[in-house]
Amino acid sequence: QIGKVGTVVGCDTSSCGACTILLDGRSAKSCSVLAVQADGSSVTTIEGLAGDEWHPVQAAFKECHGLQCGYCTPGMVMSAVDLLSENPNPTEAEIREGLEGNLCRCTGYHNIVKSVALAAETMKGGK
């Protein structure tokens, strides 16, 4: 109704993470948030993540081919942004744990993890 298409409904039970947004800067599965709960909060969807240029996480997903069908990508990106805001230098295990609530049926996660690692390097000035 409001023209946003990036935040998709995947499972409608908060199991898949495809609907992940940032609510006051922290990742939240939007299918489990009532509008009244978000009242007065800052809500960022994938469309609001980038300014004139892609966010470093979005750019890293493109660079490392961290997507295939793209259905889970907005949720993965938003979860990765939250993860990197809390832990700017995660290990591979920490990346995998940070993305644990997001399901991907196409990629096998390897390139998604590489994408988050590249974004971490980029965001701290490594690339």
Side-chain angles (χ1 to χ4, degrees):
Q1 292 178 349
I2 61 172
K4 301 295 180 196
V5 296
T7 304
V8 297
V9 176
C11 63
D12 216 11
T13 62
S14 75
S15 296
C16 75
C19 68
T20 302
I21 58 167
L22 297 179
L23 185 62
D24 291 329
R26 299 300 319 264
S27 64
K29 294 178 180 179
S30 65
C31 73
S32 64
V33 177
L34 299 174
V36 70
Q37 292 173 298
D39 188 31
S41 295
S42 168
V43 178
T44 305
T45 66
I46 191 77
E47 292 95 346
L49 193 58
D52 292 335
E53 296 182 21
W54 285 4
H55 186 280
V57 175
Q58 291 171 307
F61 267 69
K62 180 181 182 222
E63 174 81 19
C64 295
H65 309 287
L67 57 100
Q68 283 186 3
C69 82
Y71 200 81
C72 71
T73 305
M76 289 285 188
V77 168
M78 300 308 275
S79 292
V81 168
D82 182 31
L83 167 67
L84 295 176
S85 74
E86 293 291 312
N87 182 357
N89 193 29
T91 64
E92 180 179 333
E94 290 169 331
I95 293 170
R96 289 182 182 279
E97 183 178 330
L99 298 176
E100 203 170 56
N102 296 73
L103 300 177
C104 175
R105 292 176 175 91
C106 300
T107 68
Y109 301 96
H110 180 72
N111 287 345
I112 292 171
V113 173
K114 283 178 34 181
S115 299
V116 178
L118 175 61
E121 286 297 313
T122 301
M123 290 169 74
K124 64 182 176 188
K127 283 198 174 193

Short mmCIF file of all heavy atoms in Angstrom, two decimals, residues 31-60:
data_model
loop_
_atom_site.label_atom_id
_atom_site.label_comp_id
_atom_site.label_asym_id
_atom_site.label_seq_id
_atom_site.Cartn_x
_atom_site.Cartn_y
_atom_site.Cartn_z
N CYS A 31 7.36 -9.09 10.42
CA CYS A 31 6.09 -9.84 10.48
C CYS A 31 5.64 -10.06 11.91
O CYS A 31 4.48 -10.39 12.15
CB CYS A 31 6.21 -11.17 9.73
SG CYS A 31 7.21 -12.42 10.56
N SER A 32 6.54 -9.87 12.88
CA SER A 32 6.16 -10.08 14.28
C SER A 32 6.06 -8.77 15.06
O SER A 32 5.94 -8.78 16.28
CB SER A 32 7.14 -11.03 14.96
OG SER A 32 8.43 -10.45 15.01
N VAL A 33 6.12 -7.64 14.34
CA VAL A 33 6.02 -6.34 14.98
C VAL A 33 4.68 -5.70 14.59
O VAL A 33 4.40 -5.51 13.41
CB VAL A 33 7.18 -5.40 14.56
CG1 VAL A 33 7.03 -4.03 15.19
CG2 VAL A 33 8.53 -6.01 14.93
N LEU A 34 3.89 -5.38 15.58
CA LEU A 34 2.64 -4.68 15.32
C LEU A 34 2.94 -3.19 15.09
O LEU A 34 3.89 -2.65 15.66
CB LEU A 34 1.69 -4.83 16.51
CG LEU A 34 1.26 -6.25 16.86
CD1 LEU A 34 0.45 -6.25 18.15
CD2 LEU A 34 0.48 -6.87 15.72
N ALA A 35 2.13 -2.55 14.26
CA ALA A 35 2.34 -1.13 13.97
C ALA A 35 2.37 -0.30 15.25
O ALA A 35 3.20 0.61 15.38
CB ALA A 35 1.25 -0.63 13.03
N VAL A 36 1.54 -0.62 16.20
CA VAL A 36 1.50 0.13 17.45
C VAL A 36 2.82 -0.02 18.22
O VAL A 36 3.24 0.90 18.93
CB VAL A 36 0.28 -0.27 18.31
CG1 VAL A 36 0.41 -1.68 18.87
CG2 VAL A 36 0.03 0.74 19.41
N GLN A 37 3.50 -1.15 18.07
CA GLN A 37 4.79 -1.35 18.73
C GLN A 37 5.87 -0.49 18.10
O GLN A 37 6.84 -0.12 18.76
CB GLN A 37 5.20 -2.82 18.65
CG GLN A 37 4.33 -3.75 19.45
CD GLN A 37 4.68 -5.21 19.19
OE1 GLN A 37 4.56 -5.69 18.07
NE2 GLN A 37 5.14 -5.89 20.22
N ALA A 38 5.72 -0.16 16.83
CA ALA A 38 6.72 0.64 16.12
C ALA A 38 6.41 2.13 16.20
O ALA A 38 7.22 2.94 15.76
CB ALA A 38 6.80 0.19 14.66
N ASP A 39 5.27 2.49 16.74
CA ASP A 39 4.87 3.89 16.83
C ASP A 39 5.93 4.69 17.57
O ASP A 39 6.33 4.34 18.68
CB ASP A 39 3.52 4.00 17.55
CG ASP A 39 2.96 5.41 17.51
OD1 ASP A 39 3.23 6.14 16.53
OD2 ASP A 39 2.27 5.79 18.47
N GLY A 40 6.41 5.74 16.93
CA GLY A 40 7.43 6.59 17.53
C GLY A 40 8.85 6.09 17.34
O GLY A 40 9.80 6.73 17.78
N SER A 41 9.01 4.95 16.70
CA SER A 41 10.34 4.38 16.48
C SER A 41 10.85 4.72 15.10
O SER A 41 10.08 5.05 14.19
CB SER A 41 10.28 2.85 16.61
OG SER A 41 9.94 2.47 17.92
N SER A 42 12.13 4.59 14.92
CA SER A 42 12.76 4.74 13.61
C SER A 42 12.70 3.38 12.92
O SER A 42 13.18 2.39 13.47
CB SER A 42 14.21 5.18 13.78
OG SER A 42 14.90 5.06 12.57
N VAL A 43 12.10 3.33 11.73
CA VAL A 43 11.99 2.09 10.97
C VAL A 43 12.77 2.27 9.67
O VAL A 43 12.50 3.19 8.90
CB VAL A 43 10.52 1.75 10.65
CG1 VAL A 43 10.43 0.48 9.81
CG2 VAL A 43 9.72 1.59 11.94
N THR A 44 13.74 1.41 9.44
CA THR A 44 14.53 1.45 8.21
C THR A 44 14.33 0.15 7.45
O THR A 44 14.57 -0.93 8.01
CB THR A 44 16.04 1.64 8.50
OG1 THR A 44 16.21 2.80 9.31
CG2 THR A 44 16.83 1.80 7.21
N THR A 45 13.89 0.26 6.22
CA THR A 45 13.77 -0.90 5.34
C THR A 45 14.97 -0.90 4.40
O THR A 45 15.76 0.04 4.39
CB THR A 45 12.47 -0.84 4.52
OG1 THR A 45 12.56 0.27 3.61
CG2 THR A 45 11.24 -0.72 5.40
N ILE A 46 15.09 -1.93 3.62
CA ILE A 46 16.20 -2.02 2.67
C ILE A 46 16.24 -0.81 1.74
O ILE A 46 17.31 -0.34 1.37
CB ILE A 46 16.15 -3.36 1.88
CG1 ILE A 46 17.44 -3.60 1.09
CG2 ILE A 46 14.94 -3.42 0.96
CD1 ILE A 46 18.58 -4.06 1.92
N GLU A 47 15.07 -0.27 1.40
CA GLU A 47 15.02 0.90 0.52
C GLU A 47 15.64 2.13 1.17
O GLU A 47 16.15 3.01 0.48
CB GLU A 47 13.57 1.24 0.12
CG GLU A 47 12.90 0.24 -0.77
CD GLU A 47 12.06 -0.78 0.00
OE1 GLU A 47 12.20 -0.90 1.22
OE2 GLU A 47 11.26 -1.48 -0.65
N GLY A 48 15.60 2.21 2.48
CA GLY A 48 16.11 3.37 3.19
C GLY A 48 17.55 3.23 3.65
O GLY A 48 18.10 4.13 4.26
N LEU A 49 18.16 2.10 3.36
CA LEU A 49 19.51 1.84 3.84
C LEU A 49 20.55 2.68 3.12
O LEU A 49 21.48 3.21 3.74
CB LEU A 49 19.83 0.34 3.69
CG LEU A 49 21.06 -0.16 4.40
CD1 LEU A 49 20.98 0.11 5.90
CD2 LEU A 49 21.24 -1.64 4.14
N ALA A 50 20.44 2.79 1.82
CA ALA A 50 21.44 3.51 1.03
C ALA A 50 21.02 4.95 0.82
O ALA A 50 19.83 5.28 0.82
CB ALA A 50 21.61 2.83 -0.32
N GLY A 51 21.99 5.79 0.64
CA GLY A 51 21.73 7.17 0.24
C GLY A 51 21.93 7.27 -1.26
O GLY A 51 21.29 6.55 -2.02
N ASP A 52 22.85 8.12 -1.67
CA ASP A 52 23.17 8.25 -3.08
C ASP A 52 23.95 7.04 -3.60
O ASP A 52 23.95 6.76 -4.78
CB ASP A 52 23.97 9.53 -3.35
CG ASP A 52 23.15 10.79 -3.13
OD1 ASP A 52 21.91 10.71 -3.23
OD2 ASP A 52 23.75 11.84 -2.85
N GLU A 53 24.63 6.37 -2.72
CA GLU A 53 25.39 5.16 -3.06
C GLU A 53 24.90 4.01 -2.19
O GLU A 53 24.34 4.22 -1.13
CB GLU A 53 26.89 5.39 -2.81
CG GLU A 53 27.49 6.46 -3.67
CD GLU A 53 28.99 6.60 -3.42
OE1 GLU A 53 29.61 5.65 -2.90
OE2 GLU A 53 29.52 7.67 -3.74
N TRP A 54 25.18 2.80 -2.65
CA TRP A 54 24.81 1.62 -1.87
C TRP A 54 25.52 1.62 -0.53
O TRP A 54 26.67 2.07 -0.41
CB TRP A 54 25.16 0.35 -2.62
CG TRP A 54 24.25 0.02 -3.76
CD1 TRP A 54 23.21 0.77 -4.22
CD2 TRP A 54 24.31 -1.13 -4.57
NE1 TRP A 54 22.62 0.14 -5.27
CE2 TRP A 54 23.27 -1.03 -5.52
CE3 TRP A 54 25.13 -2.24 -4.61
CZ2 TRP A 54 23.04 -2.00 -6.47
CZ3 TRP A 54 24.90 -3.21 -5.56
CH2 TRP A 54 23.87 -3.09 -6.48
N HIS A 55 24.85 1.06 0.45
CA HIS A 55 25.48 0.81 1.75
C HIS A 55 26.60 -0.21 1.51
O HIS A 55 26.49 -1.07 0.64
CB HIS A 55 24.42 0.26 2.71
CG HIS A 55 24.91 0.10 4.10
ND1 HIS A 55 25.67 -0.98 4.50
CD2 HIS A 55 24.75 0.88 5.20
CE1 HIS A 55 25.96 -0.86 5.78
NE2 HIS A 55 25.41 0.27 6.23
N PRO A 56 27.70 -0.15 2.27
CA PRO A 56 28.80 -1.11 2.09
C PRO A 56 28.36 -2.58 2.15
O PRO A 56 28.93 -3.43 1.45
CB PRO A 56 29.76 -0.78 3.22
CG PRO A 56 29.51 0.65 3.51
CD PRO A 56 28.04 0.86 3.27
N VAL A 57 27.35 -2.90 2.93
CA VAL A 57 26.87 -4.29 2.99
C VAL A 57 26.21 -4.66 1.67
O VAL A 57 26.45 -5.74 1.12
CB VAL A 57 25.93 -4.52 4.19
CG1 VAL A 57 25.34 -5.93 4.15
CG2 VAL A 57 26.66 -4.30 5.51
N GLN A 58 25.40 -3.76 1.12
CA GLN A 58 24.77 -4.02 -0.18
C GLN A 58 25.84 -4.20 -1.26
O GLN A 58 25.76 -5.12 -2.07
CB GLN A 58 23.84 -2.86 -0.55
CG GLN A 58 22.61 -2.77 0.32
CD GLN A 58 21.83 -1.49 0.06
OE1 GLN A 58 22.38 -0.40 0.10
NE2 GLN A 58 20.55 -1.64 -0.23
N ALA A 59 26.83 -3.33 -1.27
CA ALA A 59 27.89 -3.41 -2.27
C ALA A 59 28.67 -4.72 -2.14
O ALA A 59 29.02 -5.35 -3.14
CB ALA A 59 28.83 -2.21 -2.14
N ALA A 60 28.91 -5.15 -0.91
CA ALA A 60 29.65 -6.40 -0.69
C ALA A 60 28.84 -7.61 -1.15
O ALA A 60 29.40 -8.56 -1.70
CB ALA A 60 30.02 -6.54 0.79
#
